[in-house]
């Protein structure tokens, strides 16, 4: 089989890095679309295409081809487990291997993920691979239409990728081309923006193959270029074998057994749709609002709410006696304030600081905390009573003070007690 091929890969208009990787050497062609945070995606896709390109893929050895995907998967998982930065990385991989089977030249096309393979066969575009996506499964089960699938919010959610699970469950297709057929391998950056009809038109144009590859990338970029775009075109120039009237894309071959799996899945398989791999959340560094994030945010809000409530409660029950402008006042709040709560004056007494003795004045200046407004008021009343009594004694050094005994409180100083009991006893 004589082939010519062309390729193009582009970062697109939105992404900062190109996490796609491509490989083409005339026998093997591959497109990988990496995912996984910062460097992970690039590493995974590059490792995938490098791995399969290194392995000896002898013609006709479908099993070796299948195993190469398993080896790529193993290497990605191993590398990810050894580096914190690469943890969770993965990649799609779609590859075509030129081979001969029963004297018939063909391509073996293998894929995991949503990078696609198409064949422009006798001028008509047909999709070879089936997307391993959640939406792809829904589409194949008949739950949604093509139109709904194209705009589905979860169309980026993969059900299979390399680097995610220890067992790789890839699909393999046999593609029997005729002269002039073009095989297209591409990442979803193309498909997201360019319709099958547009792809068919570009591939059918009478221009050099490289120009077609470039036009595909350009079309995706003109329509938004929201993702990395990679394409490989392989044109069958001349077949050595005789063209045969068979279906170009014939069947899926699991090499381990001889059972032929239908291309279109149905029945019991749909009951076990594989665990979805959220490609977007990985690609964009986990910005998607997952259930785990929601629970975390809720717990955090509850915690913050609890703290605020406690502060509020503590603040509501905080009073202190202090001075303001030389007058004894009662403040609501915590001396010096607490968070955004500033203390506020709730009672201004008639008691001047200069009427207090030095011990009392010092205590007030240092602020006297009280657990309630009543306690603070009681404290001030006691002070007032003490000052009043002091001033009465000063004015009437020998006066009877039995009437003031009733107002004497526990805070009355020893001196005043002596002076009140003294005359009464005498
Ligand atoms: Mg992509």
């Amino acid at each position: 089989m004589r082939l010519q091929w062309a390729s193009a890969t582009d970062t697109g208009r939105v992404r900062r890095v190109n996490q796609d990787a491509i490989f083409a050497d005339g026998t093997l062609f591959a497109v990988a679309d990496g995912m996984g945070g910062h460097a992970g995606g690039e590493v995974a896709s590059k490792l995938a295409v490098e791995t399969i390109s290194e392995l000896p893929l002898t013609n006709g050895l479908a099993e070796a081809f299948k195993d190469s995907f398993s080896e790529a998967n193993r290497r990605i998982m191993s590398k990810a487990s050894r580096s914190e930065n690469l943890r969770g990385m993965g990649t799609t991989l779609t590859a075509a291997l030129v081979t001969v089977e029963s004297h018939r030249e063909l391509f073996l096309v293998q894929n995991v993920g949503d990078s696609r393979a198409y064949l422009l066969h006798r001028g008509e575009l047909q999709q070879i691979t089936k997307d391993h996506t959640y939406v792809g499964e829904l589409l194949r089960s008949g739950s949604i239409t093509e139109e709904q699938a194209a705009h589905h919010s979860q169309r980026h959610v993969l059900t299979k990728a390399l680097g995610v699970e220890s067992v790789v469950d890839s699909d393999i297709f046999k593609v029997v081309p005729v002269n002039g057929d073009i095989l297209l391998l591409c990442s979803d950056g193309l498909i997201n923006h360019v319709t099958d009809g547009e792809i068919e038109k570009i591939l059918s144009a009478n221009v050099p193959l490289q120009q077609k590859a470039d036009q595909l990338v350009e079309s995706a970029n003109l329509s938004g270029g929201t993702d990395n775009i990679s394409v490989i075109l392989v044109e069958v120039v001349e077949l050595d074998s005789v063209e045969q009237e068979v279906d170009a894309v014939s069947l899926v071959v699991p090499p381990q057994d001889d059972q032929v799996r239908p291309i279109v899945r149905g029945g019991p398989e749909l009951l076990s749709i594989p665990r979805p791999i959220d490609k977007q959340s990985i690609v964009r560094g986990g910005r998607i609002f997952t259930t785990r994030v929601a629970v975390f945010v809720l717990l955090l809000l509850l915690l913050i709410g609890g703290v605020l409530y406690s502060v509020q409660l503590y603040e509501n029950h905080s009073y202190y006696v202090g001075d303001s402008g030389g007058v004894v006042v009662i403040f609501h709040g915590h001396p010096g304030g607490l968070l955004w709560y500033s203390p506020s004056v709730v009672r201004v007494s008639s008691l001047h600081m200069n009427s207090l003795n030095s011990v009392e004045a010092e205590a007030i200046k240092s602020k006297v905390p009280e657990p309630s407004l009543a306690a603070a008021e009681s404290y001030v009343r006691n002070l007032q009573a003490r000052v009043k009594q002091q001033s009465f004694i000063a004015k009437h050094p020998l006066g009877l003070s039995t009437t003031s005994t009733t107002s004497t409180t526990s805070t009355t100083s020893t001196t005043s007690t002596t002076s009140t009991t003294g005359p009464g006893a005498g």
Side-chain angles (χ1 to χ4, degrees), residues 20 33 187-189 227-228 279:
D20 287 356
D33 178 352
S187 60
D188 66 341
D227 196 1
N228 307 144
K279 192 175 165 190

